[in-house]
Amino acid sequence: MEWTDLKISAPRQYADTVEAIATGISGGGIYIEDYADLEAQVQAIAHVDLIEQELLEKDRETVIVHMYLSPDENPAEVVELLNSRLTAAAVPYTLALDGVEQEDWENAWRKYYHAMEIGSRLAICPSWEEYEGDRTVIRLDPGMAFGTGTHETTSLCLEQLDQRIQGGERVLDIGTGSGILAIAALLLGAGSAEGVDIDPMCVRTAGENAALNGVQDRLRVLVGDLSDKATGTYDLITANIVAAAIISLAPHVPALLAPGAVFIASGIIDTRKDEVIAGVTAAGLDVVEIHEKNGWVALVCRRKGE
């Protein structure tokens, strides 16, 4: 069956009014396109610096409120009611209608996400698939939190964990997102791990993923601002976040590293590589390895002199 996507476009200053009117009328939910603070949203939610040019070119002064009408609703009646209420509220607007094929939205993404092998020991597998092989399997379903292994920044970190975890390590994952890095470390043999994220939703998701993989008793996940929840020293620290956050975090890292420990920093777009290297070097870290993949960079660092 086909639903109707009824799109209301209006100047951004009328966004709250349009949202209130649409919410009062809609029986099938609404969705709001607002690109005014695109860069800040992407960094806060997705933890990446790169934004597609198509998004950057979006109109920042206009919001689009989508109303989804079910097949048994009469679009003409809804349009008439919208016209009446928007006009009464003195909102300048335009309306457009598109057909939307009904899908099982909750499960549609499953056709795009399948088991994948990373490094020499790891495999990431969604809950609905079976993996045949002798690799260490991370069970992970896509969710709102960043980190399924498909993005280059995450796979770069996982490859380093695959090489470096020998057994018994204490691990700190800053900006843990889905918890994938901390969970991978534990499954590879780390003794314990802590995950920190500023987003409570990520903390909840990481905890759920830890339980899915049977490591919830060895993973402590906390809401916090980067490293402020860390205690003591760690054998390995990961930070798959963004360049600016890594530079800000770097001065706190040396004191958290145990003798011989490494700091793996990823989420760095290649155009900011030199800036981040300069930042971590100034903070008392030596960059001992640089790994790059499709325009993204991961740095492996040690405390100066080690």
Side-chain angles (χ1 to χ4, degrees), residues 248-294:
S248 175
L249 163 73
H252 305 282
V253 171
L256 297 172
L257 292 172
V262 296
F263 171 50
I264 302 169
S266 189
I268 307 162
I269 193 169
D270 56 6
T271 55
R272 301 194 68 181
K273 176 178 69 173
D274 293 341
E275 178 186 354
V276 178
I277 291 174
V280 298
T281 301
L285 296 165
D286 285 330
V287 177
V288 295
E289 293 180 20
I290 300 173
H291 300 274
E292 302 190 36
K293 183 182 294 186
N294 296 331

Side-chain angles (χ1 to χ4, degrees), residues 112 222 232 247 276:
Y112 302 110
L222 300 168
I247 293 170
V276 178

Side-chain angles (χ1 to χ4, degrees), residues 202-237:
C202 292
V203 170
R204 183 174 65 251
T205 300
E208 292 170 352
N209 286 331
L212 181 63
N213 286 275
V215 297
Q216 67 273 22
D217 58 332
R218 292 186 290 142
L219 175 59
R220 184 169 176 247
V221 190
L222 300 168
V223 177
D225 185 4
L226 299 178
S227 64
D228 68 349
K229 297 292 184 179
T231 58
T233 60
Y234 301 84
D235 302 299
L236 192 148
I237 299 176

